[in-house]
Amino acid sequence: MKSSRVITIEELWRIHNFTPNDNQREAILYGEGPLLLTAGPGSGKTRVLLWRTLNLIVFQNVPPEEIFLTTFTEKAALQLKEGLRTLLGTVTNLTDKPYDISKMSLGTVHSICQSLITDRRFSPGGARKHAPVLMDSLSQYFKVYKKSFWQELWVAGGFTDEESAHNFISNYFLGKEINSRHVAVTECIALFNRFSEENINPSTVQTTDNSLKALLKMYEYYKNSLQINSSVKQVDFSLLQQDAFQAIESFANSGNVFKHLIIDEYQDTNAIQEKLYFALSKGSKNICVVGDDDQALYRFRGATVENLVEFENRCFANIGQTPKRIDLDINYRSRKNIVDLYSHFIVQTNWENETKKGSYYRVNDKVIKANSVDLKPSVVVSTKDKAENVYAEIAEFVLDLKRTGKIHDYNQCAFLFPYLKGSTRVTGFANAFEALGIPVYAPRAKSFIEVDEAKAIFGLFLKIFDRPHYGNTGSQSIINFRNWMIECMQIADTLMREDKLLKEFVTDKKNEVAIALEDYNLLLAFIKKKKWGVKDPFKLAMIREFAELPRLSPKARKNLTNSYFKKVIEFKERDGEPYSIDYIINRTTSLDWTVLDLFYQLNGFRHFRDMFLLAEDGTDEGPVCNLGLLSQYISRFMDQYGTILTASFLSEEKFVRVFFASYVYALYRLGESEYEDADDPFPKGRVPFLTIHQSKGLEFPVVVLGAVYKREKPADKKEIIIRSLLSKAGEPLDKISCFDNMRMFYVSLSRAQNLLILPRYTHSSAATEVFKNIFANYPLQGIPELDKEQVPVAEESKQDLGKSYSYTADYLLYNKCPRNYMIFKKYGFVPSRSQTMLFGSLVHKTIEDLHHLLMHDRKTAAV
């Protein structure tokens, strides 16, 4: 074994072609004590976090398990993990010293909170606690929306009937009465989550507001309902954080478990997270927070930008030390004029705290500088004209950028909007591109289930399973959803006319469903005739009676007479734990495919197969990306409701009501929010349309800001409630919307690398006052005057940080089947788990049977 050698961090920087500026270097090497890093757009903060972590592990000898590193999204957390593994791999290659980060607390705050709750280091005596059962946002919605639970909830709130509860809740939050369970449920969930994030105890908090008292009673009932038994309970994302904080707070040594805490995107943290981080750093005092208050976008999720703006004072109040502040203030992303514009933009409103002279609602003294010295035009505006002409001018300009080679692919030009759904700007630009034959990618511009690929798949599902029937209904939303289902079925009819093999397949699957239902009803009728109960024990002697029933299908008869099945029945009966009759009926009449299996089988037919060919040759990845997202939604349904399609589930419209009338309808309704930050792909061959929220943390060679206006709104009711309950200070309620809009547009302006394009419309809502002033007074060049030769050629996006590959997960999968790798790794398809689940079930059953056999032998020996 060769001897290890001494290395320096400067040597590692040279190997990885990284030359930090003075502030980056200081941030990376800073040692003990609290640290505040203000990080402007494109300032290389992710690299700084990586190298700072490496410095702690390699050169300060801090064990990885004593470092807490959290960021906002799963994607960012994965990027940090892969980057850190790559850098540490370099160190190992040079020194022969291995590093294991598997026990390091690195991830999103939610993933780390899950591990903290069960971490033996936070438990007296080192006992491991039971992990809570985590509900994601969709599971939480379904729990509260379920009719029986929702009734329990509004009864707990003191309401006499459902309609009055709906009208009260909608009027309280939205200022108008709406008799909609969906509206009432979504408003209550948002309030419950905010209560949890503020660590509010509903049984002790004081208020004179009778309406709020009713909602607090509902919140208390909701929290109590999550306790499954004395040791296990469910939690939503917000309560998960509360549970983690309470676990830490109750353990005296919690402040010494981690030697260093590093928290990214600190401007997007909420009240309970702030409590959590200060509690964990009370002993070591080593808390490093990184963020940019000008990019704070998540107030609607309970984020508190004051956590960052006031960090210096809050840090001293909580851990007794004032942090060192270092500004990461050099932008490496954008050309100089882009940086100058967004720096000018953000100071065009008054951020001063009028109640506290010399104080501001932002970190007011930071100055962002461009690394670029390119003074050529990089911000252009359209001709001031009516909207249709602006759309056409910008679309033609993008076409020209592609034709002249300034962008290699349309996905290098992103269109950003304050919101997508219902936006006339989105529709206008999409139509302008369609007129030029240029496809766009905007799966969130409407409810995702309305994209063409979803309608085709769901239409074929509806042809196989049928659709739920509502009868007469006055609900416009249900009428719209019913019309959507009918449209999907019409699309499916067209596809089947064009592909006879597809039509035969759908017919076969429909017949399989019908046969399973016939077998099910036949067996139910038989046990009724025999006067057996469905929960009565199934005995071995019953197999023959079941199997010899006239008209029973060959498949069901084969299932019943299978030799292995007979042995299992015999074993269970001998062991005194026989299966129930309904279990046997369900097993006998279940389909041998899942909803996700059906999805993949349909993908093999010509209409969908052509989409994969387009993606493979790089022509158009949009349809395949949509199919990938669809596979995730279908997989999510199976997680929620189980994988096996039994005839019992298919009977009496139960499946179609659960799948279509409940799950798909919920996706249809939940897709109405203007806040979208989904981690969607940017397929080749299409112009991506994103919300500004989605664009945060991203960069594109060319950015078009599709709209430069967003109406200011009154302060959110939940914000008013929290401030009233907790006597909590914050930004003035009448300025919140203005401040949030300024931050949102600041994010959009700072995404561009080479070229930023702004539209100038003529009508009264054409632009905010700040943009109007910029258009009137700021030196900007028009599209017609721009010399495109001065626009740099877009570079192909490259991996900024190291990416580690797994031999088994990456290379072997690619070697086995490149298309398989493309589907599952690149486009995010969820594999069908039938085989995996079958194997896992067999292993589990085998172990269980061996256990029972061992216990039986022991009992026999004892006798």
Side-chain angles (χ1 to χ4, degrees), residues 519 522-524 526-527 530 532 538-550 552-553 556-557 560-561 565 580-582 584-586 588:
D519 287 338
L522 184 67
L523 291 170
L524 283 184
F526 175 71
I527 65 169
K530 299 287 285 187
W532 295 336
F538 186 87
K539 299 176 181 178
L540 187 64
M542 295 178 178
I543 290 180
R544 174 178 288 184
E545 292 186 81
F546 273 39
E548 291 179 352
L549 279 173
L552 190 69
S553 73
R557 187 171 286 112
L560 284 165
T561 57
F565 175 64
S580 61
I581 290 176
D582 65 337
I584 298 302
I585 291 176
N586 282 333
T588 303

Side-chain angles (χ1 to χ4, degrees), residues 785-799:
E785 294 80 44
L786 178 69
D787 178 4
K788 283 187 284 296
E789 288 303 313
Q790 296 183 328
V791 179
V793 173
E795 295 181 5
E796 294 286 350
S797 62
K798 56 183 181 293
Q799 191 74 31

Side-chain angles (χ1 to χ4, degrees), residues 84 165 176 199 203 314 333 337 360 371 393 457 490 517 522 535 546 553 555 592 611 625 654 695 719 757 787 795 831:
L84 188 57
K176 55 184 176 182
N199 206 27
S203 61
R314 295 184 181 203
R333 171 187 299 154
N337 287 334
Y360 297 85
N371 184 62
E393 180 185 31
I457 289 290
Q490 291 169 345
L517 287 170
L522 184 67
K535 294 300 179 184
F546 273 39
S553 73
K555 177 177 177 289
D592 56 8
M611 299 177 187
C625 287
K654 285 197 284 287
S695 76
E719 183 71 25
I757 304 168
D787 178 4
E795 295 181 5

